[in-house]
Every structure is written in structure tokens, then in C-alpha cells.
Amino acid sequence: AILTSNGSGTVTINNAALTNANFFIARNSGVQTISDATWTKVTMGTADVDDDSVWNTSTSRFTAPSAGNYIFSYVVGLYGDSGAVGPIWATRFYKNGSLLNRGTYNGISLSSVNMTEKYAGTTCMLALSASDYIELYAYFNVTSGSPAIDQTTQMSGFKIIG
């Protein structure tokens, strides 16, 4: 419990219960080449912070150790080679292998814009059961050139206390 009362008007705060749990920061450790116009799992094989071992660096997924509400944030750097031109880029969370309607979508007609570097990101809260897993996917449709995910890509998350 975060707060307790002795019944006589004295309230005690449990400071130990006020720490966020299951906190992680994972990132892409290099450029990830992706297929054009295909939802592709973002690989983040480096965990800079993962005290509770909730991020799996080999599968690039977060697994909830317990039920609760979790906050997730990400930023994905999408780019193409110097000649890449693209009209659509998007990112989405997947929960237990299924697409969630949470993420970013940028579908502006950019057929004449050089897609050297574009960023997509969001923050959202998800209610998870124990053993639910979250992954990040990206989509980049270019009319020419080769799409990729750059090394500035990262994702973080934590369980909300209370």
C-alpha cells in the first residue's frame, strides 16, 4: 500500500511503494534495413536500462511480469538512401502478435520529397495482463531507394504504480 492509516488520523506514506516498476529503455544498436511497403518488426537489441529483466534483447519485446497499466513511448527514425522518395511512413505497437490501433501514421503525399530522415513517435497507456507482450513495428513506403530504420530508434516503458 502507498498510504496507510492507523485509524486515529495519522497517515503514513510508504516511500518504497512510490517507485516505478518494470522500467526499461531499449534501442536499436545500428541501422536496420527493412522491406519496402511491409510492416517490419523494429529490432532493439540493446537495453540501456532493464532492472527487472522485462525487455528481451533477442526478441525485441517487452513482457509484462504482472497485470496493470503500463506507459510506453518510442521514437523511430525512418530513412532511405540519398535517392529514396516516399509518400507513407508509419509505426505501430503490436500486442501478443496483433496490431494495436496505437501509433503514428503519416500519409501525406510526399512523392517528390527526399526521405533522407523522418521520425515517428508516440506515448500511450496500455492495460496488460501478466505475460502479455508488446513489440514495435514500422512501415515505410518509398517510390524509389531503400528504406531503413536508423540507430536513433528507441523505446521505453514502465508500470504505473498504485
Side-chain angles (χ1 to χ4, degrees):
I2 294 172
L3 297 174
T4 57
S5 172
N6 67 1
S8 301
T10 302
V11 175
T12 304
I13 298 174
N14 179 359
N15 290 331
L18 292 176
T19 59
N20 286 318
N22 312 127
F23 181 77
F24 75 94
I25 300 173
R27 65 181 166 84
N28 190 333
S29 55
V31 174
Q32 177 187 351
T33 303
I34 62 175
S35 298
D36 183 41
T38 303
W39 283 103
T40 303
K41 184 176 177 176
V42 179
T43 57
M44 289 175 275
T46 301
D48 292 324
V49 177
D50 188 14
D51 294 339
D52 297 319
S53 299
V54 294
W55 183 261
N56 186 319
T57 56
S58 45
T59 62
S60 295
R61 75 168 52 152
F62 167 87
T63 302
S66 61
N69 293 313
Y70 292 80
I71 298 287
F72 295 97
S73 296
Y74 67 79
V75 62
V76 177
L78 297 162
Y79 76 94
D81 58 31
S82 61
V85 177
I88 298 172
W89 70 98
T91 51
R92 293 280 193 265
F93 284 117
Y94 275 57
K95 177 182 173 185
N96 299 330
S98 298
L99 176 68
L100 289 173
N101 190 21
R102 291 175 178 83
T104 59
Y105 176 80
N106 298 284
I108 302 167
S109 178
L110 298 172
S111 58
S112 62
V113 175
N114 188 313
M115 298 297 285
T116 303
E117 188 96 33
K118 297 295 176 193
Y119 291 92
T122 197
T123 299
C124 72
M125 182 174 69
L126 300 173
L128 301 179
S129 299
S131 299
D132 281 348
Y133 64 90
I134 300 297
E135 301 167 301
L136 181 59
Y137 279 71
Y139 179 95
F140 198 12
N141 183 1
V142 295
T143 56
S144 66
S146 301
I149 297 170
D150 81 1
Q151 66 273 9
T152 63
T153 295
Q154 68 176 3
M155 180 173 159
S156 61
F158 61 90
K159 184 177 181 182
I160 299 172
I161 59 171

